Amino acid sequence: MTRAGAEWDWFGAVRFLVMTGTVLNALILVVAPGRAQSLQTLLDRPAHLEVESVTLEEAIRALQRSSGVTLAYSIDLLPTDRRVTCHCQDVTVRSALDTLLFETDLEYRETRRQVLIGRPTREAGSSAPPVGTLTGVVLAEGQEWPLAGVQIQLLPSGRFTLTGQDGRFLFRDVDTASEAIRATALGFEEITIPFTLDPIEGMELRVELRRTPVPLAGILIAPGSFGVLDVSPAVTGTAVSRDDIEAIPSFGDDVFRTLKRMPGVASGDISAKLHVRGSTERNLLVRLDGLELFEPYHLKDFDGTFGIVDVQSLGRIDLITGGFPVEFGDKWGAVFDMRTRRPPSTGTRTTVGVSLNSLSLINQGKFSGGRGQWLVSLRRGFLEYVLKMVGVQEDISPSFWDVLGKVQYLLSDDHLFSIEMLHAGDDVKWNGHRSGERIISDWANSYGWVNWKASFTPWLWVETLLFSGRLTRDRIGSGGDPSDGVFSPLRVDVSDIATSRFGGIKQDWQLELTGDVLVKTGVDLRFNSGAYDYSATVDRLDLDENGHVVTVTDSTAVRKDVSGTEFGTYLSMRARAPGNLTWEAGVRFDRKSHTGDADLSPRLLLRWDPLAHTSVKGSWGHYRQAQGIHELNVIDGDSLFRGSERAEQVALGIERQFGRGWHGRVEAYSRVVDDPRPVYVNLSRNISPILEVESDRTRLDPKRGRAKGLEFHLSNETTGPWSWSGSYALAWAEHEVEGTWIPATLDQLHTVNLHAAYRWGKEWQFSGSWQYRTGWPITESFLEVVVTELGDTGEQAQIIRRGFGPPNAGRLPPYHRLDLRVTRNIEVGRSRLEIFLDVFNAYNRENIRSYRYSLLDPDGDGLYTTRRGPGEELLPIMPTLGLRWVF
């Protein structure tokens, strides 16, 4: 489809949606009769049991096989001398159990997934039983391999916890009326283990889980996928635990900065923005609990220094750097998907964090017997002290804050309702004494959304999202530097006021046709509006046609109100074929009224598991990305929206879990981008809050782009004190500009990341991370002396002019640095105090962002330009002391 023919495009979109609904309805009508049995209660299912004079244990096992109902029991509770007979072909499981357990002291109770057989529970009103401590470890069956992220549920109370990276779990204050634990992990058989707790000595359980085919909806097909925080490596392949994240040295404990060490990711010291496999930050889809965040960074005047979500409020992060399925919107770079943290199994959890960068408070808990949950996160950042530490002499006062709130309620076992809000704001005041610039800047992001997750049947799942939000910015800048008027503006006045509003509805459906076929579909309808009011006046020195030095005034003004509708829909099918092959084919349609784009994006993903613990993943797809209403580039004079960019990507990778905690992956990728948008860059690479008025501001018009690479990743997580990870990436990213291929802004041919952590008991943790990469491309400057007349006076004068060579034709020196972190954990009653010291750039490597240039004539043969030394340096050694109190 093309941008022409908007009416036909709308008709095509509606027709596509109607056809999708018709197909789904037909599938439901066909499959519903075959699924009727799944709607029965477990006890009402047919028993199909026929046994004669067998032990009770043999009879229960036979009933489990014949009925397909999971029966959880302890062999120790079954009488060994009792033999039973049951002619139960035509009765229910309930009747069969009544017959088998007749004249015993055992009873049965149905849960959502199984039937528990045990002794009678304590009657209401009786005295409370004594309590004890229950601990345990979960391992893969037949291996000394701990499983992280396994959900352990205490029965019948329903309390639950997740195993840590060492596979261990802990329940305190467990009463002796507790009957069993249930262990659940994707990719493993669910198991229920009865136990009898000694209130004095407690109990230690060893749980071994047997691998099983992963449910089709839970298989992660996309290559280049990394799971972070509370995840199970059995599902995601490469997993990074919360303990690892908290141990990794990271300036500001920022959620985006924690992922800079993933292969394929490029980013600088100052910015938190992620450039994935040759893309830029605007090509990255960032979501929180299903909602897209359009401006996910704080301090955007300084290239986005931090993310707007506190990492301590998050329970899961998925980073997909390879091809991703059609449900993930219309970005073509990568997916950064965040989920909020689960509350504790009992009571509340409060986390207070204090460091030189910020002050944070997070509170979580449950209400209504655990059916309701809440989360509140507050954070206030202050960078004044950090800037003083790194020697910034300017009068600069950057501050930021964010508030995240969530309340969710389990209406029934099949319906979960939640309300969330996120607000983030920035306030920057800067008085540049040397540059003459004065800036007052305010940014704000506000999001609110309602989420309803429903499972209408065991094979039909629906998620509905209603959302609304607003983005605002207000920048006022003035100043200039007459003493350096050749290279800097003489006078600057900038006013930049913009507001964007959006709202809409998003719905996703999953229909499991059979155990081996899954259909996914969804729609996304948004209503957007934007208001822009931008003006800039810049006075600078230049030469007229006669070679005289004159003052030139450049003015830019854009005032525009725009509104539009965005519509997206997708349809995909996932199937499991013989030979451990899983595939997913899908197509996505997106329509943007403000740009006139109407795009189809087909995609195909494959996963093959030829051996145990080995997966081969591949993807191919077309990705289309249109310009959002909030992305109009008014600061460079653009008043029109551009057409959508087109990207074709191919990725192929292999993952292997070797046992004993070792995991490895190798992946290759290739991407070609057509019709990219114009790019505005500052050739000298300096950072300024009003970059658009600098004399080195340049527009590049790439015709197309391409990126390719080869990535290696190896990690080790065991129950021992050490953990390791390392990665190497060989990558190219470039653009074709005026018939010449030039490196991308953050192109880095070689990248090495190494990380090691050591846990000394429960109290101490030491970690270090080292990074090396090829120096980024730069545009070399040259200086020339021009002899001219000053106006009409006739006086001769010499001035120095600065020019630039071919874009990105030079290279900075290689970049490398070492970060260290030490953490001390102190148990204070039932609370935990963490004190940490984080040292960024521990050996104070002088990494630079640009060069300074001078004119020299040492032999009197003529002037030439030479590098005088570093221009703008990146961050030096920076120690950060902080504490985190969890209670």
Side-chain angles (χ1 to χ4, degrees):
M1 294 186 181
T2 65
R3 297 180 60 193
E7 294 183 0
W8 184 89
D9 289 334
W10 272 110
F11 175 75
V14 173
R15 183 175 59 181
F16 184 85
L17 182 60
V18 171
M19 291 177 61
T20 300
T22 303
V23 171
L24 279 177
N25 288 327
L27 290 172
I28 291 174
L29 291 175
V30 172
V31 176
R35 288 290 186 173
Q37 181 181 356
S38 65
L39 301 180
Q40 296 175 322
T41 65
L42 300 178
L43 290 172
D44 290 334
R45 289 187 181 181
H48 302 304
L49 178 65
E50 187 71 36
V51 292
E52 180 80 28
S53 189
V54 297
T55 65
L56 182 56
E57 179 187 355
E58 291 173 333
I60 292 176
R61 288 182 176 179
L63 176 60
Q64 184 168 251
R65 291 192 302 269
S66 64
S67 66
V69 175
T70 301
L71 304 174
Y73 59 93
S74 173
I75 298 178
D76 296 336
L77 299 179
L78 303 181
T80 58
D81 57 348
R82 178 177 174 81
R83 305 189 74 82
V84 296
T85 297
C86 188
H87 303 291
C88 304
Q89 284 282 358
D90 301 320
V91 301
T92 64
V93 173
R94 187 192 313 274
S95 298
L97 286 174
D98 288 340
T99 300
L100 297 178
L101 303 181
F102 182 67
E103 292 184 345
T104 69
D105 60 351
L106 301 176
E107 65 176 21
Y108 57 86
R109 178 168 56 85
E110 181 179 352
T111 67
R112 179 173 173 81
R113 300 180 179 179
Q114 58 191 342
V115 175
L116 297 175
I117 301 174
R119 302 194 186 281
T121 57
R122 175 172 53 94
E123 296 182 358
S126 61
S127 59
V131 297
T133 300
L134 177 67
T135 61
V137 62
V138 181
L139 307 169
E141 187 179 57
Q143 301 177 355
E144 292 296 324
W145 181 12
L147 297 178
V150 180
Q151 179 173 294
I152 307 296
Q153 189 172 22
L154 194 62
L155 301 176
S157 68
R159 291 172 55 188
F160 71 89
T161 188
L162 297 174
T163 59
Q165 196 66 25
D166 57 0
R168 302 197 64 82
F169 63 90
L170 166 68
F171 287 104
R172 292 189 176 94
D173 298 332
V174 179
D175 63 45
T176 54
S178 297
E179 303 173 2
I181 62 165
R182 179 167 59 219
T184 307
L186 201 58
F188 294 88
E189 290 185 4
E190 182 180 289
I191 186 173
T192 300
I193 302 178
F195 64 87
T196 302
L197 182 67
D198 186 320
I200 298 177
E201 298 182 359
M203 173 166 282
E204 170 86 14
L205 293 177
R206 177 186 173 94
V207 181
E208 294 192 3
L209 297 186
R210 179 181 303 170
R211 285 194 174 274
T212 188
V214 177
L216 200 59
I219 297 177
L220 187 62
I221 301 181
S225 301
F226 294 85
V228 182
L229 302 177
D230 295 335
V231 296
S232 170
V235 182
T236 61
T238 300
V240 183
S241 71
R242 176 172 296 279
D243 291 341
D244 293 333
I245 287 296
E246 294 179 351
I248 292 176
S250 175
F251 174 57
D253 277 345
D254 181 71
V255 59
F256 287 87
R257 294 177 179 274
T258 58
L259 298 183
K260 287 186 175 184
R261 294 172 176 83
M262 297 298 180
V265 176
S267 187
D269 287 1
I270 299 173
S271 175
K273 297 177 180 179
L274 304 181
H275 297 238
V276 181
R277 292 184 173 179
S279 64
T280 67
E281 76 281 354
R282 66 176 177 82
N283 307 125
L284 178 69
L285 173 64
V286 180
R287 302 199 315 180
L288 175 64
D289 286 343
L291 180 71
E292 181 177 357
L293 304 183
F294 298 104
E295 294 284 355
Y297 305 101
H298 279 302
L299 302 179
K300 288 173 279 293
D301 294 310
F302 298 95
D303 207 17
T305 309
F306 298 107
I308 63 174
V309 181
D310 191 343
V311 68
Q312 292 299 317
S313 65
L314 298 175
R316 179 186 178 109
I317 303 171
D318 289 316
L319 177 66
I320 307 178
T321 62
F324 40 89
V326 289
E327 63 262 31
F328 283 110
D330 64 346
K331 295 291 194 296
W332 60 256
V335 174
F336 188 92
D337 197 20
M338 300 178 285
R339 297 285 176 175
T340 48
R341 196 172 183 178
R342 294 178 177 179
S345 57
T346 59
T348 62
R349 179 197 295 125
T350 301
T351 304
V352 179
V354 181
S355 71
L356 292 177
N357 305 310
S358 63
L359 172 66
S360 64
L361 171 67
I362 300 174
N363 180 259
Q364 296 172 270
K366 296 183 177 182
F367 60 93
S368 295
R371 303 189 71 86
Q373 303 173 0
W374 80 80
L375 180 148
V376 178
S377 171
L378 309 172
R379 184 171 55 158
R380 174 69 162 83
F382 34 87
L383 294 178
E384 295 89 340
Y385 302 109
V386 176
L387 294 174
K388 296 300 182 184
M389 289 175 55
V390 300
V392 175
Q393 303 298 321
E394 308 284 1
D395 182 7
I396 180 170
S397 176
S399 62
F400 65 88
W401 59 92
D402 49 66
V403 180
L404 171 64
K406 177 180 179 179
V407 177
Q408 71 178 28
Y409 191 81
L410 190 64
L411 300 174
S412 69
D413 291 343
D414 300 318
H415 296 270
L416 179 64
F417 185 82
S418 64
I419 301 176
E420 298 186 54
M421 63 79 63
L422 172 65
H423 176 78
D426 299 348
D427 183 4
V428 175
K429 295 180 177 63
W430 182 23
N431 184 5
H433 300 301
R434 289 176 295 179
S435 64
E437 293 176 337
R438 291 173 176 82
I439 300 295
I440 299 177
S441 174
D442 293 287
W443 298 71
N445 298 351
S446 299
Y447 304 86
W449 66 107
V450 176
N451 197 326
W452 174 30
K453 297 179 180 179
S455 177
F456 293 104
T457 72
W459 44 274
L460 180 61
W461 176 88
V462 181
E463 181 174 1
T464 304
L465 196 71
L466 293 172
F467 58 89
S468 179
R470 185 177 70 171
L471 313 175
T472 63
R473 72 170 181 261
D474 187 347
R475 296 189 307 149
I476 298 177
S478 63
D481 191 358
S483 65
D484 191 19
V486 176
F487 302 112
S488 301
L490 300 174
R491 183 179 66 88
V492 172
D493 286 295
V494 172
S495 175
D496 181 15
I497 301 174
T499 301
S500 298
R501 291 180 172 85
F502 58 90
I505 182 172
K506 180 176 181 290
Q507 192 170 69
D508 299 281
W509 294 60
Q510 285 190 8
L511 173 64
E512 185 180 341
L513 300 182
T514 69
D516 293 325
V517 179
L518 177 73
V519 174
K520 298 186 292 183
T521 187
V523 295
D524 186 351
L525 181 63
R526 302 181 189 179
F527 303 94
N528 307 299
S529 66
Y532 297 90
D533 186 355
Y534 180 84
S535 63
T537 302
V538 182
D539 292 343
R540 66 177 83 251
L541 293 181
D542 204 348
L543 299 179
D544 63 12
E545 64 274 9
N546 298 317
H548 298 166
V549 177
V550 295
T551 300
V552 177
T553 299
D554 296 327
S555 297
T556 303
V558 178
R559 291 174 177 84
K560 189 179 185 68
D561 293 327
V562 62
S563 62
T565 303
E566 299 182 15
F567 173 79
T569 184
Y570 67 88
L571 177 65
S572 69
M573 176 176 287
R574 175 180 294 190
R576 182 159 34 203
N580 295 323
L581 176 66
T582 303
W583 60 268
E584 179 175 325
V587 61
R588 181 178 184 89
F589 173 83
D590 289 284
R591 174 72 170 90
K592 316 286 186 181
S593 67
H594 63 281
T595 63
D597 289 306
D599 300 321
L600 277 177
S601 305
R603 301 172 195 176
L604 176 66
L605 298 97
L606 299 171
R607 172 172 173 159
W608 177 42
D609 298 283
L611 302 170
H613 318 311
T614 302
S615 297
V616 179
K617 298 178 183 179
S619 69
W620 166 89
H622 283 187
Y623 299 78
R624 306 292 293 267
Q625 180 173 336
Q627 187 174 7
I629 278 184
H630 65 286
E631 295 179 315
L632 189 60
N633 191 28
V634 296
I635 67 173
D636 289 298
D638 281 354
S639 59
L640 298 176
F641 290 95
R642 308 282 175 173
S644 60
E645 300 173 319
R646 299 176 297 167
E648 182 178 6
Q649 314 187 49
V650 179
L652 180 64
I654 181 171
E655 299 181 16
R656 170 70 178 174
Q657 293 173 341
F658 299 100
R660 298 186 178 274
W662 286 97
H663 177 273
R665 69 192 298 169
V666 180
E667 188 161 320
Y669 66 89
S670 176
R671 175 193 293 136
V672 177
V673 181
D674 293 318
D675 299 330
R677 287 186 233 158
V679 179
Y680 292 87
V681 298
N682 289 77
L683 297 177
S684 63
R685 303 184 71 102
N686 292 329
I687 294 179
S688 169
I690 46 176
L691 283 171
E692 69 268 24
V693 303
E694 298 294 335
S695 60
D696 62 342
R697 189 72 168 177
T698 302
R699 169 174 165 165
L700 302 178
D701 289 286
K703 182 179 179 181
R704 54 181 174 160
R706 62 190 181 191
K708 55 184 177 180
L710 185 63
E711 299 170 357
F712 301 85
H713 185 269
L714 184 65
S715 61
N716 177 259
E717 292 287 349
T718 66
T719 56
W722 284 97
S723 62
W724 314 80
S725 68
S727 67
Y728 167 74
L730 177 67
W732 298 263
E734 52 190 359
H735 305 291
E736 184 183 9
V737 179
E738 296 181 353
T740 302
W741 286 96
I742 65 173
T745 302
L746 299 190
D747 174 65
Q748 47 196 54
L749 181 62
H750 303 286
T751 305
V752 178
N753 285 291
L754 301 176
H755 173 72
Y758 178 77
R759 302 179 185 89
W760 185 15
K762 296 181 179 180
E763 293 80 20
W764 292 92
Q765 185 158 347
F766 306 88
S767 64
S769 295
W770 184 76
Q771 182 185 48
Y772 169 91
R773 61 168 169 80
T774 305
W776 288 339
I778 61 167
T779 301
E780 299 279 8
S781 293
F782 62 86
L783 304 176
E784 59 180 352
V785 177
V786 178
V787 179
T788 182
E789 293 183 3
L790 297 178
D792 297 328
T793 63
E795 296 182 12
Q796 297 289 317
Q798 292 184 342
I799 65 170
I800 299 176
R801 300 183 68 189
R802 179 174 62 176
F804 294 93
N808 292 346
R811 284 276 177 180
L812 293 169
Y815 174 102
H816 56 86
R817 76 167 196 267
L818 174 67
D819 301 335
L820 300 174
R821 186 183 183 105
V822 57
T823 303
R824 174 73 161 94
N825 296 312
I826 304 174
E827 298 291 336
V828 183
R830 295 193 174 183
S831 66
R832 183 177 76 255
L833 181 64
E834 301 175 7
I835 304 174
F836 63 88
L837 175 63
D838 196 311
V839 182
F840 181 92
N841 195 3
Y843 52 74
N844 201 24
R845 161 73 176 182
E846 186 184 77
N847 294 301
I848 65 174
R849 185 182 176 94
S850 61
Y851 287 114
R852 300 177 67 187
Y853 297 86
S854 296
L855 279 173
L856 294 180
D857 184 13
D859 302 322
D861 296 330
L863 295 170
Y864 66 92
T865 303
T866 184
R867 294 174 180 170
R868 190 169 65 185
E872 184 169 320
E873 297 182 16
L874 295 176
L875 298 180
I877 183 172
M878 290 179 55
T880 301
L881 181 66
L883 61 88
R884 186 179 297 116
W885 184 24
V886 183
F887 58 92

